[in-house]
Amino acid sequence: MREARGELKKVAWPTRQQVWYSTLVVLFVTFAVSAYLGLVDAVLTGLLRGVVR
């Protein structure tokens, strides 16, 4: 237990502002990737429907 506490004291914990900005970056990237994949899915679905008909 002492060693674990000692190691935790060495950790450089992020500030509240750093955590907030990191969260915003993760949310933005998540929405951007999901929008891109949704667009690609819609385009490919349209192309395949045209081929099948």
Side-chain angles (χ1 to χ4, degrees), residues 18-39:
Q18 289 172 327
V19 171
W20 176 246
Y21 286 139
S22 296
T23 302
L24 289 178
V25 168
V26 168
L27 288 174
F28 174 77
V29 170
T30 301
F31 286 124
V33 169
S34 65
Y36 172 74
L37 291 175
L39 180 65

